[in-house]
Amino acid sequence: AQKITQTQPGMFVQEKEAVTLDCTYDTSDQSYGLFWYKQPSSGEMIFLIYQGSYDEQNATEGRYSLNFQKARKSANLVISASQLGDSAMYFCAMREGQAGAQKLVFGQGTRLTINP
Amino acid sequence: AAGVIQSPRHLIKEKRETATLKCYPIPRHDTVYWYQQGPGQDPQFLISFYEKMQSDKGSIPDRFSAQQFSDYHSELNMSSLELGDSALYFCASRGAPRYEQFFGPGTRLTVL
């Protein structure tokens, strides 16, 4: 069963608008964490933000914030004031496994295009 | 800040050849992960090492092996290469107790 679901294969947004990328997850663990990564066309995987399941506050990193709704099992990424350089593939991921391992399981990704 | 280093960045091999990918984690990071990303796919976990011991294993073919050395760098050895092995191979590192994994730039392997 898919553990991370990103239902938006592609999104088109006007520059300077805010954008929300959806991510839902499935786990029976009490302790888990959600990540967002950005992958530009050049191919590298850039870490954006992390949210732990026990964190009481939603994570924020500059223009990125994570809208964590534990009861709904969602961890949406919000990008404020989008820029042309935000055009990329975005992956939601969840860590799973025992301590010392904690591999990442990724969703299918959302391709974001920012229009001028 | 220092990042994860991977070499080579690009590699072209023929079918049935072997390949060795190298990864140098961020200093003082104790865990290394290898992921494979096929064209248009999300990254898939292959194998991980914690303090130089294998800590987890994913969908890694028996033709592949990996190890982590005393200086914490890691190598992924791939033998009897197949066309389907063509992919972007990422190494990532993590420093406990934090959970964030930082990825290297990747090695793009093309098997002809």
Side-chain angles (χ1 to χ4, degrees), chain A residues 1 5 14 18-20 23-24 29 39 41 46 48 52 57 77-78 82-83 89 92 94 111 115:
Chain A
T5 303
Q14 286 299 120
V19 57
T20 298
C23 173
T24 57
D29 293 341
Q39 187 174 39
S41 57
I46 302 168
L48 294 179
Q57 304 276 349
L77 177 70
V78 180
S82 59
Q83 303 171 357
M89 182 72 90
C92 179
M94 180 171 64
R111 184 169 297 282
N115 295 314

Side-chain angles (χ1 to χ4, degrees), chain B residues 59-80:
Chain B
S59 50
I60 183 170
D62 292 340
R63 299 177 289 107
F64 294 6
S65 65
Q67 57 183 322
Q68 187 177 31
F69 295 85
S70 58
D71 64 351
Y72 289 90
H73 94 272
S74 178
E75 295 184 2
L76 177 66
N77 300 291
M78 311 160 71
S79 63
S80 302

Side-chain angles (χ1 to χ4, degrees), chain A residues 16-110:
Chain A
K16 299 179 185 175
E17 288 183 351
V19 57
T20 298
L21 304 182
D22 295 340
C23 173
T24 57
Y25 60 91
D26 182 28
T27 183
S28 56
D29 293 341
Q30 295 300 308
S31 175
Y32 54 90
L34 287 308
F35 302 74
W36 278 93
Y37 285 86
K38 172 183 178 182
Q39 187 174 39
S41 57
S42 52
E44 68 264 39
M45 291 287 284
I46 302 168
F47 167 76
L48 294 179
I49 198 165
Y50 170 76
Q51 178 85 41
S53 58
Y54 292 121
D55 294 340
E56 295 185 354
Q57 304 276 349
N58 283 346
T60 61
E61 291 285 350
R63 294 186 300 112
Y64 304 106
S65 60
L66 200 152
N67 184 1
F68 183 48
Q69 298 189 40
K70 200 169 181 177
R72 300 175 69 174
K73 293 190 174 181
S74 73
N76 298 340
L77 177 70
V78 180
I79 306 175
S80 62
S82 59
Q83 303 171 357
L84 296 179
D86 294 331
S87 293
M89 182 72 90
Y90 288 80
F91 288 99
C92 179
M94 180 171 64
R95 61 175 173 87
E96 67 171 27
Q98 297 179 355
Q102 298 282 294
K103 66 187 178 190
L104 296 182
V105 176
F106 288 83
Q108 311 94 314
T110 295

Side-chain angles (χ1 to χ4, degrees), chain B residues 17-32:
Chain B
E17 286 190 324
T18 61
T20 297
L21 279 54
K22 296 185 178 182
C23 168
Y24 297 85
I26 293 171
R28 292 179 295 281
H29 278 196
D30 51 16
T31 308
V32 166

